[in-house]
Structures are given as structure tokens and as C-alpha cells.
Amino acid sequence: MLPLIGVSTYVADVAWSNWERRAAVLPASYFELVAAAGGRPLLVPPTSSAPGGPEAGADQVIDVLDGLVLTGGGDVDPAAYGEEPDPEVGGVNPDRDASERALLAAALRADVPVLAICRGCQVLNVYLGGTLHQHLPDVIGNLDHRKVAMEFEDVDVATEPGTRTSGVFGPTTTVRCSHHQAIRDLGRDLVITARAGDGVVEAVELPSARFVLAVQWHPEEAMDQRPFDALVRAARTYREEQSVRAGV
């Protein structure tokens, strides 16, 4: 059986054909890359009306998954790390924050492999007690990581030797970025595994976990198969181990 990979989505007002509806939304590149890696993608939307709130049922969802992708999107609510929002903060969705935080917590408890992308990287860092630069240009004095909202820039990053990140991407790589926020204070037990030339943290890992890799850039925009291949390999091993324990 193919490893089942949960892929978080967001919710937006969208139009297609003659329809205008509020819908779960996700660029197809995310789930196509999961499928190309040999996984079976399962889209996991945040919900606002579930009994118990958007966090409800996270453990049950993770129980059926072999891997989890936390995807890009709007900013994490700064209240999650004890700050008032900067005027540049946008796209905050409390339901999505709560849903993804609960999914991540359940995945870490179960040691399910996690690939966290852009916003997902920030969700991971904040969940583990870290903080974010709320508006990166105010800190580094340039717009190299995002000149225009919703557009992508090429950024060169260098990885740390001997890390999973280096094993996946090599010592250096050019990536697609569109972020105005980034990690400031590192969450507990995370290690920095890649930086841009201006010092901005572009990848972190959780060495104590089976597989937790977080990148601040957007591999799905470059159709970069490498991190998805790595996730699905780890998910396949996880699934095999679970099958052995269950006697299947």
C-alpha cells in the first residue's frame, strides 16, 4: 500500500465555472509532488464548526497517516508567541493556526514524518516555543525574500554539512522564496540547517524525531521533488514499522 500523506490546506472564497464558494484551497503542485514520490496524498482542511474546535480529532487523523506536509500560506498569529501584530502581518486565520498546531503536535507525539514548508516552518518553530521576525525587511534592510506579495524570488542558500537538509539539497541550492517573515528565536530542540547569504534562517530540523524537516522556501514552486521523495521514504519506513508492530 502507498504511504498515506496528509497535506494541510487553507480555506478561501474562490470561483470556478459558475460557482462562487468558500472552499478548501491548495496549489496542485503540493499533492502532485507527493504522488510522484510514491505517496498517496490526503488533503486535510481546517474546520471552524467541528465540535471541540478546529483542533478536534487531530490524533485520529494522524493515526491513519504515514506522513504530514504543512503547507505555505498566511502569517501565523503573533499572539501565539506573545506579541502584538506588526502592521505588515496579514492572512492570519485562527482556525488554520489551531488545526495545524494540533496536527503537528499529534504527529510529533506519534513520530510521524513531517515536511513543513514556508508557513509550516513557522508553525513548527512557534509550536516549539520560538518566535518570528514579523516583517523581515525591517530587520535585514532588503526585499530579497519577497519583493511583491504572492510572487517568488530566487534565493541562494547554504546548508549545514552532515544534516538531513544537506543530504536532501546538497551543500548549496537556489530556492524559490516568497516570505516576509522568518525565524527569530529558535524553538526548543530545533537546529538551523540552512541560511541565506544575508543570514536569514531558511531551514531547520528536529534531530530527535524520525523525520522533521522544515524549509522557509517553496520547493513546490520549483517542482523540486527532493524533499517530497525524502518525506515519502521516511513515511514508507514508518508504515512498515507500524505494520510489523500490528502483526500485519
Tab-separated table of all heavy atoms in Angstrom, residues 14-60:
chain	number	residue	atom	x	y	z
A	14	VAL	N	-13.503	31.308	-3.387
A	14	VAL	CA	-12.972	31.086	-4.728
A	14	VAL	C	-14.116	30.925	-5.732
A	14	VAL	O	-15.266	30.693	-5.355
A	14	VAL	CB	-12.070	29.826	-4.764
A	14	VAL	CG1	-10.848	30.025	-3.886
A	14	VAL	CG2	-12.840	28.580	-4.339
A	15	ALA	N	-13.761	31.060	-7.000
A	15	ALA	CA	-14.741	30.908	-8.081
A	15	ALA	C	-14.196	29.922	-9.099
A	15	ALA	O	-13.008	29.955	-9.437
A	15	ALA	CB	-15.023	32.244	-8.737
A	16	TRP	N	-15.056	29.013	-9.565
A	16	TRP	CA	-14.702	28.121	-10.653
A	16	TRP	C	-15.980	27.792	-11.416
A	16	TRP	O	-17.052	27.700	-10.838
A	16	TRP	CB	-14.000	26.859	-10.142
A	16	TRP	CG	-14.843	25.907	-9.358
A	16	TRP	CD1	-15.426	24.758	-9.799
A	16	TRP	CD2	-15.207	26.005	-7.963
A	16	TRP	NE1	-16.123	24.137	-8.782
A	16	TRP	CE2	-16.001	24.887	-7.647
A	16	TRP	CE3	-14.946	26.949	-6.949
A	16	TRP	CZ2	-16.525	24.672	-6.375
A	16	TRP	CZ3	-15.462	26.728	-5.681
A	16	TRP	CH2	-16.235	25.605	-5.418
A	17	SER	N	-15.865	27.725	-12.736
A	17	SER	CA	-17.042	27.548	-13.589
A	17	SER	C	-18.071	28.617	-13.213
A	17	SER	O	-17.750	29.798	-13.196
A	17	SER	CB	-17.597	26.130	-13.440
A	17	SER	OG	-18.630	25.892	-14.363
A	18	ASN	N	-19.280	28.203	-12.875
A	18	ASN	CA	-20.299	29.161	-12.466
A	18	ASN	C	-20.450	29.254	-10.951
A	18	ASN	O	-21.403	29.852	-10.457
A	18	ASN	CB	-21.652	28.779	-13.074
A	18	ASN	CG	-21.652	28.919	-14.586
A	18	ASN	OD1	-21.018	29.811	-15.134
A	18	ASN	ND2	-22.353	28.019	-15.262
A	19	TRP	N	-19.517	28.656	-10.229
A	19	TRP	CA	-19.623	28.573	-8.778
A	19	TRP	C	-18.777	29.652	-8.117
A	19	TRP	O	-17.689	29.976	-8.567
A	19	TRP	CB	-19.150	27.207	-8.288
A	19	TRP	CG	-20.004	26.071	-8.734
A	19	TRP	CD1	-19.914	25.380	-9.900
A	19	TRP	CD2	-21.077	25.480	-8.011
A	19	TRP	NE1	-20.857	24.404	-9.966
A	19	TRP	CE2	-21.601	24.424	-8.810
A	19	TRP	CE3	-21.669	25.723	-6.771
A	19	TRP	CZ2	-22.668	23.634	-8.409
A	19	TRP	CZ3	-22.723	24.927	-6.365
A	19	TRP	CH2	-23.215	23.908	-7.191
A	20	GLU	N	-19.301	30.175	-7.025
A	20	GLU	CA	-18.524	31.001	-6.102
A	20	GLU	C	-18.811	30.471	-4.711
A	20	GLU	O	-19.946	30.523	-4.242
A	20	GLU	CB	-18.920	32.474	-6.211
A	20	GLU	CG	-18.553	33.116	-7.535
A	20	GLU	CD	-18.868	34.600	-7.563
A	20	GLU	OE1	-19.189	35.159	-6.485
A	20	GLU	OE2	-18.805	35.200	-8.644
A	21	ARG	N	-17.779	29.908	-4.109
A	21	ARG	CA	-17.968	29.234	-2.834
A	21	ARG	C	-16.747	29.427	-1.943
A	21	ARG	O	-15.652	29.702	-2.418
A	21	ARG	CB	-18.173	27.723	-3.031
A	21	ARG	CG	-19.458	27.313	-3.711
A	21	ARG	CD	-20.676	27.535	-2.811
A	21	ARG	NE	-21.881	26.989	-3.411
A	21	ARG	CZ	-22.663	27.628	-4.270
A	21	ARG	NH1	-22.336	28.844	-4.660
A	21	ARG	NH2	-23.753	27.070	-4.744
A	22	ARG	N	-16.954	29.247	-0.653
A	22	ARG	CA	-15.835	29.122	0.269
A	22	ARG	C	-15.373	27.671	0.191
A	22	ARG	O	-16.172	26.748	0.316
A	22	ARG	CB	-16.256	29.485	1.693
A	22	ARG	CG	-15.088	29.701	2.638
A	22	ARG	CD	-15.441	30.720	3.706
A	22	ARG	NE	-14.314	30.943	4.608
A	22	ARG	CZ	-13.309	31.768	4.328
A	22	ARG	NH1	-13.289	32.424	3.174
A	22	ARG	NH2	-12.334	31.941	5.189
A	23	ALA	N	-14.072	27.473	-0.039
A	23	ALA	CA	-13.601	26.132	-0.348
A	23	ALA	C	-12.214	25.895	0.232
A	23	ALA	O	-11.466	26.839	0.528
A	23	ALA	CB	-13.557	25.926	-1.864
A	24	ALA	N	-11.888	24.615	0.399
A	24	ALA	CA	-10.517	24.232	0.735
A	24	ALA	C	-9.658	24.445	-0.509
A	24	ALA	O	-10.029	24.040	-1.610
A	24	ALA	CB	-10.464	22.778	1.180
A	25	VAL	N	-8.517	25.096	-0.329
A	25	VAL	CA	-7.694	25.524	-1.456
A	25	VAL	C	-6.250	25.075	-1.236
A	25	VAL	O	-5.723	25.166	-0.123
A	25	VAL	CB	-7.735	27.060	-1.604
A	25	VAL	CG1	-6.838	27.518	-2.737
A	25	VAL	CG2	-9.166	27.533	-1.832
A	26	LEU	N	-5.617	24.614	-2.313
A	26	LEU	CA	-4.207	24.242	-2.255
A	26	LEU	C	-3.667	24.142	-3.671
A	26	LEU	O	-4.303	23.530	-4.531
A	26	LEU	CB	-4.035	22.880	-1.559
A	26	LEU	CG	-2.585	22.479	-1.291
A	26	LEU	CD1	-1.999	23.294	-0.159
A	26	LEU	CD2	-2.483	20.993	-0.983
A	27	PRO	N	-2.497	24.741	-3.947
A	27	PRO	CA	-1.894	24.526	-5.265
A	27	PRO	C	-1.663	23.039	-5.527
A	27	PRO	O	-1.192	22.299	-4.650
A	27	PRO	CB	-0.567	25.286	-5.162
A	27	PRO	CG	-0.826	26.356	-4.153
A	27	PRO	CD	-1.736	25.711	-3.140
A	28	ALA	N	-1.976	22.601	-6.737
A	28	ALA	CA	-1.888	21.180	-7.071
A	28	ALA	C	-0.466	20.648	-6.973
A	28	ALA	O	-0.265	19.438	-6.769
A	28	ALA	CB	-2.437	20.942	-8.479
A	29	SER	N	0.529	21.521	-7.103
A	29	SER	CA	1.924	21.049	-7.075
A	29	SER	C	2.242	20.310	-5.789
A	29	SER	O	3.022	19.344	-5.804
A	29	SER	CB	2.891	22.225	-7.254
A	29	SER	OG	2.608	23.254	-6.320
A	30	TYR	N	1.642	20.715	-4.662
A	30	TYR	CA	1.919	20.021	-3.407
A	30	TYR	C	1.551	18.541	-3.502
A	30	TYR	O	2.357	17.656	-3.227
A	30	TYR	CB	1.127	20.647	-2.258
A	30	TYR	CG	1.650	21.940	-1.718
A	30	TYR	CD1	0.999	23.138	-1.997
A	30	TYR	CD2	2.756	21.976	-0.875
A	30	TYR	CE1	1.449	24.339	-1.471
A	30	TYR	CE2	3.210	23.169	-0.342
A	30	TYR	CZ	2.551	24.353	-0.637
A	30	TYR	OH	3.000	25.536	-0.122
A	31	PHE	N	0.298	18.278	-3.870
A	31	PHE	CA	-0.120	16.869	-3.838
A	31	PHE	C	0.400	16.085	-5.035
A	31	PHE	O	0.592	14.863	-4.943
A	31	PHE	CB	-1.641	16.719	-3.649
A	31	PHE	CG	-2.516	17.444	-4.611
A	31	PHE	CD1	-2.780	16.934	-5.872
A	31	PHE	CD2	-3.133	18.631	-4.247
A	31	PHE	CE1	-3.626	17.573	-6.754
A	31	PHE	CE2	-3.983	19.294	-5.113
A	31	PHE	CZ	-4.229	18.770	-6.377
A	32	GLU	N	0.686	16.752	-6.143
A	32	GLU	CA	1.278	16.041	-7.275
A	32	GLU	C	2.701	15.591	-6.950
A	32	GLU	O	3.131	14.504	-7.352
A	32	GLU	CB	1.263	16.923	-8.521
A	32	GLU	CG	-0.120	17.231	-9.061
A	32	GLU	CD	-0.858	16.017	-9.612
A	32	GLU	OE1	-0.295	14.892	-9.606
A	32	GLU	OE2	-2.013	16.184	-10.039
A	33	LEU	N	3.448	16.414	-6.222
A	33	LEU	CA	4.794	16.027	-5.820
A	33	LEU	C	4.763	14.877	-4.823
A	33	LEU	O	5.620	13.990	-4.867
A	33	LEU	CB	5.539	17.234	-5.248
A	33	LEU	CG	6.000	18.261	-6.291
A	33	LEU	CD1	6.299	19.599	-5.630
A	33	LEU	CD2	7.213	17.754	-7.056
A	34	VAL	N	3.800	14.885	-3.914
A	34	VAL	CA	3.637	13.741	-3.003
A	34	VAL	C	3.366	12.471	-3.804
A	34	VAL	O	3.968	11.420	-3.567
A	34	VAL	CB	2.502	14.005	-1.999
A	34	VAL	CG1	2.126	12.722	-1.253
A	34	VAL	CG2	2.901	15.089	-1.008
A	35	ALA	N	2.451	12.568	-4.768
A	35	ALA	CA	2.101	11.397	-5.576
A	35	ALA	C	3.285	10.926	-6.409
A	35	ALA	O	3.545	9.712	-6.518
A	35	ALA	CB	0.909	11.725	-6.476
A	36	ALA	N	4.025	11.865	-7.000
A	36	ALA	CA	5.187	11.495	-7.810
A	36	ALA	C	6.263	10.816	-6.977
A	36	ALA	O	7.049	10.006	-7.489
A	36	ALA	CB	5.752	12.736	-8.504
A	37	ALA	N	6.305	11.122	-5.676
A	37	ALA	CA	7.269	10.489	-4.781
A	37	ALA	C	6.847	9.087	-4.354
A	37	ALA	O	7.617	8.381	-3.705
A	37	ALA	CB	7.483	11.367	-3.546
A	38	GLY	N	5.634	8.701	-4.715
A	38	GLY	CA	5.151	7.373	-4.340
A	38	GLY	C	4.236	7.359	-3.137
A	38	GLY	O	3.958	6.306	-2.565
A	39	GLY	N	3.732	8.532	-2.749
A	39	GLY	CA	2.783	8.615	-1.647
A	39	GLY	C	1.370	8.847	-2.151
A	39	GLY	O	1.162	9.228	-3.303
A	40	ARG	N	0.409	8.596	-1.297
A	40	ARG	CA	-0.996	8.864	-1.604
A	40	ARG	C	-1.404	10.092	-0.821
A	40	ARG	O	-1.523	10.054	0.411
A	40	ARG	CB	-1.866	7.672	-1.211
A	40	ARG	CG	-3.362	7.877	-1.472
A	40	ARG	CD	-3.665	7.959	-2.954
A	40	ARG	NE	-5.095	7.916	-3.224
A	40	ARG	CZ	-5.734	8.799	-3.987
A	40	ARG	NH1	-5.078	9.811	-4.519
A	40	ARG	NH2	-7.019	8.675	-4.216
A	41	PRO	N	-1.607	11.264	-1.476
A	41	PRO	CA	-1.939	12.478	-0.732
A	41	PRO	C	-3.374	12.478	-0.230
A	41	PRO	O	-4.292	12.023	-0.915
A	41	PRO	CB	-1.717	13.594	-1.757
A	41	PRO	CG	-1.859	12.927	-3.089
A	41	PRO	CD	-1.431	11.503	-2.914
A	42	LEU	N	-3.543	12.992	0.965
A	42	LEU	CA	-4.858	13.166	1.576
A	42	LEU	C	-4.947	14.607	2.059
A	42	LEU	O	-4.199	15.008	2.954
A	42	LEU	CB	-5.046	12.204	2.751
A	42	LEU	CG	-6.341	12.351	3.547
A	42	LEU	CD1	-7.545	11.940	2.699
A	42	LEU	CD2	-6.297	11.527	4.825
A	43	LEU	N	-5.823	15.398	1.452
A	43	LEU	CA	-5.930	16.804	1.819
A	43	LEU	C	-6.672	16.946	3.145
A	43	LEU	O	-7.716	16.337	3.360
A	43	LEU	CB	-6.658	17.584	0.727
A	43	LEU	CG	-6.034	17.528	-0.668
A	43	LEU	CD1	-6.712	18.532	-1.591
A	43	LEU	CD2	-4.528	17.770	-0.627
A	44	VAL	N	-6.109	17.784	4.031
A	44	VAL	CA	-6.646	17.956	5.381
A	44	VAL	C	-6.970	19.434	5.585
A	44	VAL	O	-6.076	20.243	5.840
A	44	VAL	CB	-5.640	17.480	6.444
A	44	VAL	CG1	-6.267	17.569	7.838
A	44	VAL	CG2	-5.169	16.054	6.164
A	45	PRO	N	-8.236	19.819	5.462
A	45	PRO	CA	-8.600	21.230	5.623
A	45	PRO	C	-8.802	21.587	7.091
A	45	PRO	O	-9.156	20.731	7.912
A	45	PRO	CB	-9.918	21.331	4.859
A	45	PRO	CG	-10.534	19.972	5.044
A	45	PRO	CD	-9.388	18.993	5.052
A	46	PRO	N	-8.618	22.871	7.447
A	46	PRO	CA	-9.045	23.327	8.769
A	46	PRO	C	-10.563	23.453	8.785
A	46	PRO	O	-11.176	23.697	7.751
A	46	PRO	CB	-8.377	24.695	8.905
A	46	PRO	CG	-8.271	25.179	7.497
A	46	PRO	CD	-8.056	23.953	6.643
A	47	THR	N	-11.145	23.283	9.943
A	47	THR	CA	-12.596	23.424	10.051
A	47	THR	C	-12.923	24.412	11.166
A	47	THR	O	-12.181	24.540	12.138
A	47	THR	CB	-13.276	22.081	10.366
A	47	THR	OG1	-12.735	21.552	11.581
A	47	THR	CG2	-13.044	21.081	9.248
A	48	SER	N	-14.047	25.094	11.031
A	48	SER	CA	-14.454	26.069	12.042
A	48	SER	C	-15.651	25.606	12.851
A	48	SER	O	-15.973	26.203	13.875
A	48	SER	CB	-14.786	27.402	11.366
A	48	SER	OG	-15.827	27.235	10.421
A	49	SER	N	-16.315	24.531	12.409
A	49	SER	CA	-17.582	24.145	13.043
A	49	SER	C	-17.536	22.787	13.726
A	49	SER	O	-18.552	22.322	14.236
A	49	SER	CB	-18.697	24.132	11.992
A	49	SER	OG	-18.362	23.263	10.916
A	50	ALA	N	-16.373	22.141	13.759
A	50	ALA	CA	-16.299	20.820	14.399
A	50	ALA	C	-16.503	20.951	15.903
A	50	ALA	O	-15.969	21.876	16.524
A	50	ALA	CB	-14.945	20.179	14.127
A	51	PRO	N	-17.299	20.048	16.513
A	51	PRO	CA	-17.399	20.057	17.978
A	51	PRO	C	-16.005	19.934	18.595
A	51	PRO	O	-15.225	19.072	18.215
A	51	PRO	CB	-18.245	18.820	18.264
A	51	PRO	CG	-19.009	18.569	17.006
A	51	PRO	CD	-18.095	18.986	15.893
A	52	GLY	N	-15.699	20.822	19.508
A	52	GLY	CA	-14.368	20.814	20.102
A	52	GLY	C	-13.405	21.739	19.409
A	52	GLY	O	-12.246	21.862	19.831
A	53	GLY	N	-13.845	22.389	18.324
A	53	GLY	CA	-12.999	23.357	17.656
A	53	GLY	C	-12.127	22.747	16.583
A	53	GLY	O	-12.152	21.538	16.336
A	54	PRO	N	-11.338	23.581	15.903
A	54	PRO	CA	-10.523	23.091	14.789
A	54	PRO	C	-9.442	22.100	15.196
A	54	PRO	O	-8.911	21.384	14.359
A	54	PRO	CB	-9.907	24.377	14.212
A	54	PRO	CG	-10.027	25.392	15.294
A	54	PRO	CD	-11.241	25.035	16.080
A	55	GLU	N	-9.129	22.034	16.496
A	55	GLU	CA	-8.127	21.072	16.974
A	55	GLU	C	-8.681	19.656	17.095
A	55	GLU	O	-7.924	18.692	17.169
A	55	GLU	CB	-7.598	21.486	18.352
A	55	GLU	CG	-7.050	22.895	18.431
A	55	GLU	CD	-8.082	23.888	18.946
A	55	GLU	OE1	-9.298	23.669	18.704
A	55	GLU	OE2	-7.670	24.882	19.573
A	56	ALA	N	-10.001	19.536	17.113
A	56	ALA	CA	-10.632	18.252	17.422
A	56	ALA	C	-10.257	17.175	16.409
A	56	ALA	O	-10.229	17.432	15.200
A	56	ALA	CB	-12.150	18.412	17.470
A	57	GLY	N	-9.969	15.996	16.916
A	57	GLY	CA	-9.734	14.847	16.049
A	57	GLY	C	-8.348	14.758	15.455
A	57	GLY	O	-8.091	13.882	14.622
A	58	ALA	N	-7.424	15.619	15.874
A	58	ALA	CA	-6.090	15.606	15.275
A	58	ALA	C	-5.389	14.265	15.484
A	58	ALA	O	-4.747	13.738	14.568
A	58	ALA	CB	-5.241	16.740	15.845
A	59	ASP	N	-5.509	13.699	16.676
A	59	ASP	CA	-4.859	12.412	16.932
A	59	ASP	C	-5.421	11.321	16.035
A	59	ASP	O	-4.671	10.477	15.539
A	59	ASP	CB	-5.018	12.015	18.407
A	59	ASP	CG	-4.106	12.810	19.316
A	59	ASP	OD1	-2.872	12.716	19.161
A	59	ASP	OD2	-4.619	13.546	20.177
A	60	GLN	N	-6.742	11.334	15.813
A	60	GLN	CA	-7.348	10.319	14.950
A	60	GLN	C	-6.889	10.478	13.508
A	60	GLN	O	-6.689	9.491	12.802
A	60	GLN	CB	-8.880	10.413	15.030
A	60	GLN	CG	-9.453	9.949	16.368
A	60	GLN	CD	-9.585	11.085	17.360
A	60	GLN	OE1	-8.887	12.095	17.267
A	60	GLN	NE2	-10.489	10.925	18.317
